[in-house]
Amino acid sequence: MSSTATDVVRLLTVKGETLAVAESLTGGLVAAEITSVPGASKVFRGSVTAYATDLKHDLLDVDATLLAARGAVDPQVAAEMAVGVRKALGTDWGIATTGVAGPDPQDGQAVGTVFVAVDGPVGADSGSAGGGKVEALRLNGDRAEIRRESVRSVLALLLKELAGEQTGNERAQDTERNGGF
C-alpha cells in the first residue's frame, strides 16, 4: 500500500466522494493498490480492466472511430476511458491508464508510452478546474517497472486534483480528524 493511495482514500472519504478505475496496461494494479488501503470500501466502487481494444468501446464507451484511427494508446482514449468508467460505475471520479508496457511496441507507439487520465466533478468554487486531465508519460524500465510507475502516476494525478479541490481550512480539519497526517 502506498502513501499516495492512502492519501487518495483519505481525501475521498473526507469529501464523501467515490472513485472508479479503468485500466488497460496496468491490468488491475491500480484497483489493487487502492483496495489495499483500509477503509477503501467507503469510496471505491469498482474497476473495469479493458485490456482488449474492443472492450474499451464496449464497456467504457470510448469512441470506436477514435480507436480505429489512433489505436488504444492515445491521450483522448485515456480521457474517454476515465469518463466512461465514471459514468458506468456512477462515481464522482474516474481514473484511467492506457499504454505500452512491452516488450513490443503497440499501435505505432514505443514501449514506455503511457497516458493516465482523471475525470472528476467540475466545481465553480473549487481550486481545481475539474473535468478531465490527461498526462503523457515516457517511461523507462522493464514491463513491471513501467506498470508500477503508471500506477504511481495515475494515483499522483488524482491526488493532485483532489488536493486542489480542498480549501486550506478543509485540509486543516482533515489533518486534525486523521491524527495529524
Side-chain angles (χ1 to χ4, degrees), residues 55-64 80-81 84-85 87:
L55 292 180
K56 290 171 181 62
H57 170 70
D58 294 344
L59 299 176
L60 299 171
D61 203 29
V62 175
D63 184 84
E80 290 189 20
M81 288 172 65
V85 79
K87 287 179 180 174

Side-chain angles (χ1 to χ4, degrees), residues 12-75:
L12 286 168
T13 301
V14 166
K15 294 162 74 58
E17 295 179 340
T18 56
L19 173 66
V21 177
E23 300 186 65
S24 186
L25 84 149
T26 50
L29 293 175
V30 177
E33 189 68 20
I34 292 164
T35 58
S36 72
V37 178
S41 61
K42 294 175 187 165
V43 300
F44 185 68
R45 297 253 315 141
S47 64
V48 173
T49 301
Y51 209 65
T53 299
D54 62 313
L55 292 180
K56 290 171 181 62
H57 170 70
D58 294 344
L59 299 176
L60 299 171
D61 203 29
V62 175
D63 184 84
T65 306
L66 172 67
L67 288 167
R70 298 193 205 160
V73 183
D74 180 82

Side-chain angles (χ1 to χ4, degrees), residues 73 99-101 104-106 108-114:
V73 183
V100 185
D104 300 313
Q106 177 188 338
Q109 299 285 352
V111 171
T113 302
V114 176

Side-chain angles (χ1 to χ4, degrees), residues 10-11 163-176:
R10 180 179 52 79
L11 280 175
E165 280 210 331
Q166 228 182 0
T167 67
N169 188 44
E170 287 172 324
R171 275 193 295 273
Q173 290 172 358
D174 175 41
T175 300
E176 187 175 306

Side-chain angles (χ1 to χ4, degrees), residues 1 10 26 67 78 92 98 131 141 150 153:
M1 154 180 53
R10 180 179 52 79
T26 50
L67 288 167
D92 300 296
T98 188
S150 299
S153 295

